[in-house]
Each structure stands twice: as structure tokens, then as C-alpha cells.
Coordinates of all heavy atoms in Angstrom, one line a residue:
M1 N -1.0 9.1 8.6 CA -2.4 9.1 8.6 C -2.9 7.7 8.3 O -2.5 7.1 7.4 CB -3.0 10.1 7.6 CG -4.4 10.1 7.4 SD -5.0 11.2 6.1 CE -5.0 12.7 7.0
N2 N -3.8 7.2 9.2 CA -4.4 5.9 9.0 C -5.9 6.1 8.6 O -6.6 6.8 9.3 CB -4.3 5.0 10.2 CG -2.9 4.6 10.5 OD1 -2.2 4.2 9.6 ND2 -2.5 4.6 11.8
V3 N -6.4 5.4 7.6 CA -7.8 5.4 7.3 C -8.2 3.9 7.5 O -7.7 3.0 6.8 CB -8.0 5.8 5.8 CG1 -9.5 5.8 5.5 CG2 -7.5 7.2 5.6
F4 N -9.2 3.7 8.4 CA -9.7 2.4 8.7 C -11.1 2.3 8.3 O -12.0 3.1 8.6 CB -9.6 2.2 10.2 CG -10.2 0.9 10.7 CD1 -9.6 -0.3 10.5 CD2 -11.5 0.9 11.3 CE1 -10.2 -1.5 11.0 CE2 -12.0 -0.2 11.8 CZ -11.4 -1.5 11.6
L5 N -11.4 1.3 7.5 CA -12.8 1.0 7.0 C -13.2 -0.4 7.4 O -12.5 -1.3 7.3 CB -12.8 1.1 5.4 CG -12.3 2.4 4.8 CD1 -12.1 2.2 3.3 CD2 -13.2 3.6 5.1
K6 N -14.5 -0.5 7.8 CA -15.1 -1.8 8.1 C -16.4 -1.8 7.6 O -17.3 -1.0 7.9 CB -15.1 -2.0 9.7 CG -15.7 -3.3 10.1 CD -15.7 -3.4 11.6 CE -16.9 -4.2 12.1 NZ -17.1 -4.2 13.5
A7 N -16.7 -2.8 6.7 CA -18.0 -3.0 6.0 C -18.8 -3.9 6.9 O -18.4 -4.8 7.5 CB -17.8 -3.6 4.6
G8 N -20.1 -3.5 7.0 CA -21.0 -4.3 7.8 C -21.4 -5.6 7.1 O -21.0 -5.9 6.0
G9 N -22.3 -6.4 7.7 CA -22.8 -7.6 7.1 C -22.5 -8.8 7.9 O -22.0 -8.7 9.1
E10 N -22.7 -10.0 7.4 CA -22.5 -11.2 8.2 C -21.0 -11.4 8.4 O -20.6 -11.8 9.5 CB -23.0 -12.4 7.4 CG -24.5 -12.4 7.4 CD -25.1 -13.6 6.6 OE1 -24.3 -14.6 6.5 OE2 -26.2 -13.6 6.2
K11 N -20.2 -11.2 7.3 CA -18.7 -11.3 7.5 C -18.1 -9.9 7.3 O -17.9 -9.5 6.1 CB -18.2 -12.3 6.4 CG -18.4 -13.7 6.7 CD -17.8 -14.6 5.6 CE -16.8 -15.5 6.2 NZ -16.1 -16.3 5.2
P12 N -17.9 -9.2 8.3 CA -17.4 -7.8 8.2 C -16.0 -7.9 7.5 O -15.1 -8.7 7.9 CB -17.3 -7.3 9.6 CG -17.9 -8.3 10.5 CD -18.1 -9.5 9.7
K13 N -15.8 -7.0 6.6 CA -14.5 -6.9 5.9 C -13.8 -5.6 6.4 O -14.4 -4.6 6.5 CB -14.6 -6.8 4.4 CG -15.2 -8.1 3.9 CD -15.3 -8.1 2.4 CE -15.8 -9.4 1.9 NZ -16.0 -9.5 0.5
R14 N -12.6 -5.7 6.8 CA -11.8 -4.6 7.3 C -10.7 -4.2 6.3 O -10.1 -5.1 5.6 CB -11.2 -4.9 8.6 CG -12.2 -5.2 9.6 CD -11.6 -5.7 10.9 NE -12.7 -6.0 11.8 CZ -12.6 -5.9 13.1 NH1 -11.5 -5.4 13.7 NH2 -13.6 -6.2 13.9
F15 N -10.5 -2.9 6.2 CA -9.5 -2.4 5.2 C -8.8 -1.2 5.9 O -9.4 -0.4 6.4 CB -10.2 -2.0 3.9 CG -9.3 -1.6 2.8 CD1 -8.5 -2.6 2.2 CD2 -9.2 -0.4 2.4 CE1 -7.7 -2.3 1.2 CE2 -8.3 0.0 1.3 CZ -7.6 -1.0 0.7
R16 N -7.5 -1.2 5.8 CA -6.7 -0.1 6.4 C -5.8 0.5 5.4 O -5.1 -0.3 4.7 CB -5.9 -0.6 7.6 CG -5.1 0.4 8.3 CD -4.5 -0.1 9.5 NE -5.6 -0.5 10.4 CZ -5.6 -0.2 11.7 NH1 -4.7 0.4 12.3 NH2 -6.6 -0.6 12.4
I17 N -5.8 1.8 5.3 CA -4.9 2.5 4.3 C -4.0 3.4 5.2 O -4.5 4.1 6.0 CB -5.7 3.4 3.3 CG1 -6.8 2.5 2.6 CG2 -4.8 4.0 2.3 CD1 -7.7 3.4 1.9
I18 N -2.7 3.3 4.9 CA -1.8 4.1 5.6 C -1.1 5.1 4.7 O -0.5 4.7 3.6 CB -0.7 3.3 6.3 CG1 -1.4 2.3 7.3 CG2 0.3 4.1 7.0 CD1 -0.4 1.3 7.9
F19 N -1.3 6.4 4.9 CA -0.7 7.5 4.1 C 0.3 8.3 5.0 O 0.0 8.6 6.1 CB -1.7 8.5 3.7 CG -2.7 8.0 2.7 CD1 -4.0 7.8 3.1 CD2 -2.3 7.8 1.4 CE1 -5.0 7.4 2.1 CE2 -3.3 7.3 0.5 CZ -4.6 7.1 0.8
P20 N 1.5 8.6 4.5 CA 2.3 9.5 5.2 C 1.6 10.9 5.2 O 1.1 11.3 4.2 CB 3.6 9.6 4.4 CG 3.6 8.4 3.5 CD 2.2 8.0 3.3
T21 N 1.6 11.5 6.4 CA 0.9 12.8 6.5 C 1.4 13.9 5.6 O 0.7 14.7 5.1 CB 1.0 13.3 8.0 OG1 0.5 12.2 8.8 CG2 0.1 14.5 8.2
S22 N 2.7 13.8 5.3 CA 3.3 14.8 4.4 C 2.8 14.7 3.0 O 2.8 15.6 2.2 CB 4.8 14.7 4.4 OG 5.2 13.4 4.0
L23 N 2.3 13.5 2.6 CA 1.7 13.3 1.2 C 0.3 14.0 1.2 O -0.1 14.5 0.1 CB 1.6 11.9 0.9 CG 2.8 11.2 0.4 CD1 2.5 9.7 0.1 CD2 3.3 11.8 -0.9
V24 N -0.4 14.0 2.3 CA -1.7 14.5 2.3 C -1.7 16.0 2.5 O -2.5 16.8 1.9 CB -2.6 13.8 3.4 CG1 -4.0 14.4 3.4 CG2 -2.6 12.3 3.1
F25 N -0.9 16.5 3.5 CA -0.9 17.9 3.8 C 0.4 18.5 3.4 O 1.5 18.5 4.0 CB -1.0 18.1 5.4 CG -2.2 17.6 5.9 CD1 -2.3 16.5 6.9 CD2 -3.4 18.2 5.6 CE1 -3.4 16.1 7.4 CE2 -4.6 17.7 6.1 CZ -4.6 16.7 7.0
N26 N 0.4 19.2 2.2 CA 1.6 19.9 1.7 C 1.1 21.0 0.7 O -0.1 21.2 0.5 CB 2.5 18.9 0.9 CG 1.9 18.2 -0.2 OD1 1.1 18.8 -1.0 ND2 2.1 16.9 -0.4
R27 N 2.1 21.8 0.2 CA 1.7 22.9 -0.6 C 1.0 22.5 -1.9 O 0.1 23.2 -2.4 CB 3.0 23.7 -1.0 CG 3.6 24.4 0.2 CD 4.9 25.2 -0.3 NE 5.4 26.0 0.8 CZ 4.9 27.2 1.1 NH1 3.9 27.7 0.4 NH2 5.4 27.9 2.0
F28 N 1.4 21.5 -2.5 CA 0.8 21.0 -3.7 C -0.7 20.7 -3.5 O -1.5 21.1 -4.3 CB 1.6 19.8 -4.3 CG 1.0 19.2 -5.6 CD1 1.1 20.0 -6.7 CD2 0.4 18.0 -5.6 CE1 0.6 19.4 -7.9 CE2 -0.2 17.5 -6.7 CZ -0.1 18.2 -7.9
T29 N -1.0 19.9 -2.5 CA -2.4 19.5 -2.3 C -3.2 20.7 -1.8 O -4.4 20.8 -2.0 CB -2.5 18.4 -1.3 OG1 -1.9 18.7 -0.1 CG2 -1.9 17.1 -1.8
A30 N -2.5 21.7 -1.1 CA -3.3 22.9 -0.7 C -3.7 23.7 -1.9 O -4.8 24.2 -2.0 CB -2.3 23.7 0.2
G31 N -2.9 23.7 -3.0 CA -3.2 24.4 -4.2 C -4.4 23.8 -4.9 O -5.3 24.4 -5.4
I32 N -4.4 22.4 -4.9 CA -5.5 21.7 -5.5 C -6.8 21.9 -4.7 O -7.8 22.1 -5.3 CB -5.1 20.2 -5.6 CG1 -4.0 20.0 -6.6 CG2 -6.3 19.4 -6.0 CD1 -3.4 18.6 -6.6
A33 N -6.7 21.9 -3.4 CA -7.8 22.0 -2.6 C -8.5 23.4 -2.7 O -9.7 23.5 -2.7 CB -7.5 21.8 -1.1
V34 N -7.7 24.4 -2.9 CA -8.2 25.8 -3.1 C -9.0 25.9 -4.4 O -10.1 26.4 -4.4 CB -7.0 26.8 -3.0 CG1 -7.5 28.2 -3.5 CG2 -6.5 26.9 -1.6
K35 N -8.4 25.3 -5.4 CA -9.1 25.3 -6.7 C -10.4 24.6 -6.7 O -11.4 25.0 -7.2 CB -8.2 24.8 -7.8 CG -7.1 25.7 -8.2 CD -6.2 25.1 -9.3 CE -5.0 26.0 -9.6 NZ -4.1 25.5 -10.6
E36 N -10.4 23.4 -6.0 CA -11.6 22.6 -5.9 C -12.7 23.3 -5.0 O -13.9 23.3 -5.3 CB -11.3 21.2 -5.3 CG -10.6 20.3 -6.3 CD -11.4 20.1 -7.6 OE1 -12.6 19.8 -7.5 OE2 -10.9 20.2 -8.7
A37 N -12.2 24.0 -4.0 CA -13.1 24.7 -3.1 C -13.8 25.9 -3.8 O -15.0 26.2 -3.6 CB -12.4 25.3 -1.9
E38 N -13.1 26.5 -4.7 CA -13.7 27.6 -5.5 C -14.9 27.2 -6.4 O -15.8 27.9 -6.6 CB -12.6 28.3 -6.4 CG -11.6 29.1 -5.6 CD -10.5 29.6 -6.5 OE1 -10.5 29.3 -7.7 OE2 -9.7 30.4 -6.0
K39 N -14.8 25.9 -6.8 CA -15.9 25.4 -7.6 C -17.2 25.3 -6.8 O -18.3 25.4 -7.4 CB -15.6 24.0 -8.1 CG -14.5 23.9 -9.2 CD -14.2 22.5 -9.6 CE -13.0 22.4 -10.6 NZ -12.7 21.0 -10.9
Y40 N -17.1 25.2 -5.5 CA -18.3 25.1 -4.7 C -18.6 26.4 -3.9 O -19.4 26.4 -3.0 CB -18.1 23.9 -3.6 CG -18.0 22.6 -4.3 CD1 -16.8 22.0 -4.5 CD2 -19.1 21.9 -4.8 CE1 -16.7 20.8 -5.2 CE2 -19.1 20.7 -5.4 CZ -17.8 20.1 -5.6 OH -17.7 18.9 -6.2
G41 N -17.9 27.4 -4.3 CA -18.2 28.7 -3.7 C -17.6 29.0 -2.4 O -17.9 30.0 -1.7
V42 N -16.6 28.2 -2.0 CA -15.9 28.4 -0.8 C -14.7 29.3 -1.1 O -13.9 29.0 -1.9 CB -15.4 27.1 -0.2 CG1 -14.6 27.3 1.1 CG2 -16.6 26.2 0.1
K43 N -14.6 30.4 -0.3 CA -13.5 31.4 -0.6 C -12.4 31.2 0.5 O -12.6 31.5 1.7 CB -14.0 32.8 -0.5 CG -15.1 33.0 -1.6 CD -15.2 34.4 -2.0 CE -16.3 34.7 -2.9 NZ -16.2 34.2 -4.2
I44 N -11.3 30.6 0.1 CA -10.2 30.4 1.0 C -8.9 30.6 0.2 O -8.9 30.2 -1.0 CB -10.2 29.0 1.7 CG1 -9.1 28.9 2.8 CG2 -10.1 27.9 0.7 CD1 -9.2 27.7 3.7
T45 N -7.9 31.3 0.7 CA -6.7 31.5 0.0 C -5.7 30.3 0.3 O -5.9 29.6 1.3 CB -6.0 32.8 0.4 OG1 -5.6 32.8 1.7 CG2 -7.0 34.0 0.1
K46 N -4.7 30.2 -0.5 CA -3.7 29.2 -0.3 C -2.9 29.4 1.0 O -2.6 28.5 1.7 CB -2.7 29.1 -1.5 CG -1.8 28.0 -1.5 CD -1.0 27.9 -2.7 CE 0.0 26.7 -2.7 NZ 0.8 26.6 -3.9
E47 N -2.7 30.7 1.3 CA -2.0 31.0 2.5 C -2.8 30.6 3.8 O -2.2 30.1 4.7 CB -1.7 32.5 2.6 CG -0.6 33.0 1.6 CD -1.1 33.1 0.1 OE1 -2.4 33.2 0.0 OE2 -0.3 32.9 -0.8
Q48 N -4.1 30.8 3.7 CA -5.0 30.4 4.8 C -4.9 28.9 5.0 O -4.8 28.4 6.1 CB -6.4 30.9 4.6 CG -6.6 32.4 4.7 CD -8.0 32.8 4.3 OE1 -8.6 32.2 3.4 NE2 -8.4 33.9 4.9
L49 N -5.0 28.2 3.9 CA -5.0 26.8 4.0 C -3.7 26.2 4.5 O -3.6 25.3 5.2 CB -5.4 26.2 2.6 CG -5.7 24.7 2.6 CD1 -6.8 24.3 3.6 CD2 -6.1 24.2 1.2
L50 N -2.6 26.9 4.0 CA -1.3 26.4 4.5 C -1.1 26.7 6.0 O -0.5 25.9 6.7 CB -0.2 27.2 3.8 CG 0.0 26.7 2.3 CD1 1.0 27.7 1.6 CD2 0.5 25.3 2.2
H51 N -1.7 27.7 6.5 CA -1.7 28.0 8.0 C -2.5 26.9 8.7 O -2.1 26.4 9.8 CB -2.3 29.4 8.3 CG -2.3 29.7 9.7 ND1 -1.1 30.0 10.4 CD2 -3.3 29.8 10.6 CE1 -1.4 30.3 11.6 NE2 -2.7 30.2 11.8
I52 N -3.6 26.5 8.2 CA -4.4 25.4 8.8 C -3.6 24.1 8.8 O -3.5 23.4 9.8 CB -5.7 25.2 8.0 CG1 -6.7 26.4 8.2 CG2 -6.4 23.9 8.4 CD1 -7.9 26.4 7.3
I53 N -2.9 23.8 7.6 CA -2.1 22.6 7.5 C -1.0 22.6 8.6 O -0.7 21.6 9.2 CB -1.6 22.5 6.1 CG1 -2.7 22.1 5.2 CG2 -0.4 21.4 6.0 CD1 -2.3 22.1 3.7
K54 N -0.3 23.8 8.7 CA 0.7 23.9 9.7 C 0.2 23.6 11.1 O 0.8 22.9 11.9 CB 1.4 25.3 9.6 CG 2.5 25.5 10.6 CD 3.1 26.9 10.4 CE 4.2 27.1 11.4 NZ 4.7 28.5 11.4
S55 N -1.0 24.2 11.4 CA -1.6 24.0 12.7 C -1.9 22.5 13.0 O -1.7 22.0 14.1 CB -2.8 24.8 12.9 OG -2.5 26.2 12.8
V56 N -2.4 21.8 12.0 CA -2.8 20.4 12.1 C -1.5 19.6 12.3 O -1.5 18.7 13.2 CB -3.5 19.9 10.8 CG1 -3.6 18.4 10.8 CG2 -4.9 20.5 10.8
K57 N -0.4 19.9 11.6 CA 0.8 19.2 11.8 C 1.4 19.4 13.2 O 1.9 18.4 13.8 CB 1.9 19.6 10.7 CG 1.6 19.0 9.4 CD 2.7 19.5 8.4 CE 2.5 18.9 7.0 NZ 3.6 19.3 6.1
E58 N 1.3 20.6 13.7 CA 1.8 20.9 15.1 C 1.0 20.1 16.1 O 1.5 19.5 17.0 CB 1.8 22.4 15.4 CG 2.9 23.1 14.6 CD 2.8 24.6 14.8 OE1 1.9 25.1 15.6 OE2 3.5 25.4 14.2
Y59 N -0.3 20.1 15.9 CA -1.2 19.4 16.8 C -0.9 17.9 16.8 O -0.9 17.2 17.8 CB -2.7 19.6 16.4 CG -3.7 19.2 17.5 CD1 -4.0 20.0 18.6 CD2 -4.3 17.9 17.4 CE1 -4.9 19.5 19.5 CE2 -5.2 17.5 18.3 CZ -5.5 18.3 19.4 OH -6.3 17.9 20.4
K60 N -0.6 17.4 15.6 CA -0.3 15.9 15.4 C 0.9 15.5 16.2 O 1.0 14.5 16.8 CB -0.1 15.6 14.0 CG 0.2 14.1 13.7 CD 0.5 13.9 12.3 CE 0.8 12.4 12.1 NZ 2.1 12.0 12.1
K61 N 1.9 16.5 16.3 CA 3.1 16.2 17.0 C 2.9 16.0 18.5 O 3.5 15.2 19.2 CB 4.2 17.3 16.8 CG 4.8 17.2 15.4 CD 5.8 18.3 15.3 CE 6.4 18.4 13.9 NZ 7.4 19.5 13.7
R62 N 2.0 16.8 19.0 CA 1.6 16.8 20.4 C 0.7 15.7 20.8 O 0.7 15.1 21.9 CB 1.1 18.1 20.9 CG 2.1 19.2 21.0 CD 1.6 20.4 21.6 NE 1.9 21.5 20.7 CZ 1.0 22.4 20.2 NH1 -0.3 22.2 20.4 NH2 1.4 23.3 19.4
H63 N -0.2 15.3 19.9 CA -1.2 14.3 20.1 C -1.2 13.2 19.1 O -1.8 13.3 18.1 CB -2.6 15.0 20.1 CG -2.7 16.1 21.0 ND1 -2.9 16.0 22.4 CD2 -2.7 17.5 20.8 CE1 -3.0 17.2 23.0 NE2 -2.8 18.1 22.0
R64 N -0.4 12.2 19.4 CA 0.0 11.2 18.4 C -1.3 10.4 17.9 O -1.4 10.0 16.8 CB 1.0 10.2 19.0 CG 2.3 10.8 19.1 CD 3.0 10.8 17.8 NE 4.3 11.4 17.9 CZ 5.1 11.8 16.9 NH1 4.6 11.5 15.7 NH2 6.2 12.3 17.1
D65 N -2.2 10.1 18.8 CA -3.3 9.2 18.5 C -4.6 10.0 18.3 O -5.7 9.5 18.6 CB -3.5 8.1 19.6 CG -2.4 7.2 19.6 OD1 -1.8 6.9 18.5 OD2 -2.0 6.7 20.7
W66 N -4.5 11.1 17.7 CA -5.7 12.0 17.4 C -6.6 11.4 16.3 O -6.1 11.1 15.2 CB -5.2 13.4 17.1 CG -6.3 14.4 16.8 CD1 -7.5 14.5 17.5 CD2 -6.3 15.4 15.8 NE1 -8.2 15.5 16.9 CE2 -7.5 16.1 15.9 CE3 -5.4 15.8 14.8 CZ2 -7.8 17.1 15.1 CZ3 -5.7 16.8 14.0 CH2 -6.9 17.5 14.2
V67 N -7.9 11.2 16.7 CA -8.8 10.7 15.7 C -9.5 11.8 15.1 O -10.2 12.6 15.7 CB -9.8 9.7 16.3 CG1 -10.9 9.2 15.3 CG2 -9.1 8.5 16.9
L68 N -9.3 12.1 13.8 CA -9.8 13.2 13.1 C -11.3 13.0 12.8 O -12.1 13.9 13.0 CB -9.0 13.4 11.8 CG -9.3 14.7 11.0 CD1 -9.1 15.9 11.8 CD2 -8.5 14.6 9.7
V69 N -11.7 11.8 12.3 CA -13.1 11.5 11.9 C -13.4 10.1 12.4 O -12.6 9.2 12.2 CB -13.3 11.6 10.4 CG1 -14.7 11.1 10.0 CG2 -13.0 13.0 9.9
E70 N -14.6 9.9 13.0 CA -15.0 8.6 13.4 C -16.5 8.5 13.1 O -17.3 9.3 13.7 CB -14.7 8.3 14.8 CG -15.0 6.9 15.3 CD -14.4 6.7 16.7 OE1 -14.2 7.6 17.4 OE2 -14.2 5.5 17.0
A71 N -16.9 7.6 12.2 CA -18.3 7.5 11.9 C -18.7 6.0 11.9 O -18.0 5.2 11.4 CB -18.6 8.1 10.5
V72 N -19.9 5.8 12.4 CA -20.5 4.4 12.4 C -21.9 4.5 11.9 O -22.7 5.3 12.3 CB -20.5 3.8 13.8 CG1 -21.1 2.4 13.8 CG2 -19.1 3.8 14.4
S73 N -22.3 3.7 10.9 CA -23.6 3.7 10.3 C -24.5 2.7 11.1 O -24.0 1.9 11.9 CB -23.6 3.3 8.9 OG -23.3 1.9 8.7
S74 N -25.8 2.7 10.9 CA -26.7 1.8 11.6 C -26.5 0.4 11.1 O -26.9 -0.6 11.8 CB -28.1 2.3 11.3 OG -28.4 2.2 10.0
E75 N -25.9 0.2 10.0 CA -25.7 -1.2 9.5 C -24.4 -1.8 10.0 O -24.0 -2.9 9.7 CB -25.6 -1.2 7.9 CG -26.9 -1.0 7.3 CD -27.3 0.5 7.1 OE1 -26.3 1.3 7.0 OE2 -28.4 0.8 7.1
G76 N -23.6 -1.0 10.8 CA -22.4 -1.5 11.4 C -21.1 -1.1 10.6 O -20.0 -1.6 10.9
E77 N -21.3 -0.3 9.6 CA -20.1 0.1 8.8 C -19.4 1.2 9.6 O -20.0 2.1 10.2 CB -20.5 0.6 7.4 CG -21.2 -0.5 6.6 CD -21.9 0.1 5.4 OE1 -22.1 1.3 5.3 OE2 -22.1 -0.7 4.5
E78 N -18.1 1.2 9.6 CA -17.3 2.1 10.3 C -16.3 2.8 9.4 O -15.7 2.2 8.5 CB -16.5 1.5 11.4 CG -17.3 0.9 12.5 CD -16.4 0.3 13.6 OE1 -15.3 0.9 13.9 OE2 -16.7 -0.8 14.1
V79 N -16.0 4.1 9.7 CA -14.9 4.8 9.0 C -14.2 5.6 10.1 O -14.8 6.3 10.9 CB -15.4 5.8 8.0 CG1 -14.3 6.6 7.4 CG2 -16.2 5.1 6.9
R80 N -12.9 5.5 10.2 CA -12.1 6.2 11.2 C -10.8 6.7 10.5 O -10.1 5.9 9.8 CB -11.7 5.3 12.3 CG -11.1 5.9 13.5 CD -10.9 5.0 14.7 NE -10.4 3.7 14.3 CZ -11.0 2.6 14.7 NH1 -12.1 2.6 15.5 NH2 -10.5 1.4 14.4
V81 N -10.6 8.0 10.6 CA -9.4 8.6 10.1 C -8.6 9.1 11.3 O -9.0 9.9 12.1 CB -9.7 9.8 9.1 CG1 -8.4 10.4 8.7 CG2 -10.5 9.3 8.0
K82 N -7.4 8.6 11.4 CA -6.5 8.9 12.6 C -5.2 9.5 12.1 O -4.6 9.0 11.1 CB -6.2 7.7 13.4 CG -5.4 7.9 14.6 CD -5.3 6.6 15.4 CE -3.9 6.1 15.3 NZ -3.7 4.9 16.2
L83 N -4.8 10.7 12.6 CA -3.6 11.3 12.2 C -2.4 10.7 13.0 O -2.5 10.2 14.1 CB -3.6 12.8 12.5 CG -4.5 13.6 11.5 CD1 -4.4 15.1 11.8 CD2 -4.1 13.4 10.1

């Protein structure tokens, strides 16, 4: 997973963070996500979230350059998350 950030302004600054997908999508983080979601009233079980994670991993295998999130502000700041 690549996270690309670009700050706007006269001299744009770029920053790239590379995470192994297995660190972000695993059983441990699914458990944490379920507990955090409960705080905001979202009802999802760990099994449901693990099924979503499995589907995302399978999709990533078939589509190597899949951009999960891409956002650009009016000031020229960019955020792009690519699996």
C-alpha cells in the first residue's frame, strides 16, 4: 500500500509512505477497527470485516495499480492511497 501526499503552495512538498498490505489488513487490525467502529455506533462483526479484508486482498492480486482513494483540494494539495 502506497500513501502519496503533496502539499500545495509555492514549493510543493511531496511525501510517500509505503506500508506492506499485510500490516494494514490483518486479524489484529480488524479487531481494533471493530472496537473503534462501535464507539461511533457502527455495527460490524469481526467476521464481516475479515470477509471484506479477504475480498480487498483478492482484488489487489488481480488489479495491481488500484487507487483506493484520490483527493485533490482547491489549494492543490493531493492525497492518493494505492493498493
Side-chain angles (χ1 to χ4, degrees):
M1 172 182 283
N2 289 319
V3 179
F4 173 77
L5 306 168
K6 179 181 151 192
E10 292 180 19
K11 288 181 119 182
K13 295 184 181 179
R14 297 173 185 213
F15 190 67
R16 182 173 297 227
I17 305 169
I18 300 172
F19 291 110
T21 306
S22 59
L23 280 179
V24 179
F25 297 119
N26 59 41
R27 289 182 173 277
F28 178 70
T29 57
I32 293 171
V34 167
K35 287 181 183 177
E36 288 299 314
E38 287 175 356
K39 291 180 183 177
Y40 296 99
V42 177
K43 302 206 184 291
I44 187 168
T45 65
K46 188 173 180 180
E47 291 76 25
Q48 290 171 329
L49 192 55
L50 288 172
H51 183 70
I52 292 169
I53 289 171
K54 183 180 176 184
S55 298
V56 167
K57 285 182 178 182
E58 288 175 6
Y59 191 84
K60 180 186 181 267
K61 285 181 185 178
R62 285 188 232 121
H63 306 281
R64 290 280 178 192
D65 293 328
W66 180 37
V67 177
L68 185 62
V69 175
E70 188 170 22
V72 180
S73 73
S74 60
E75 289 87 29
E77 297 169 339
E78 291 181 43
V79 175
R80 187 173 43 230
V81 178
K82 185 174 110 174
L83 287 182

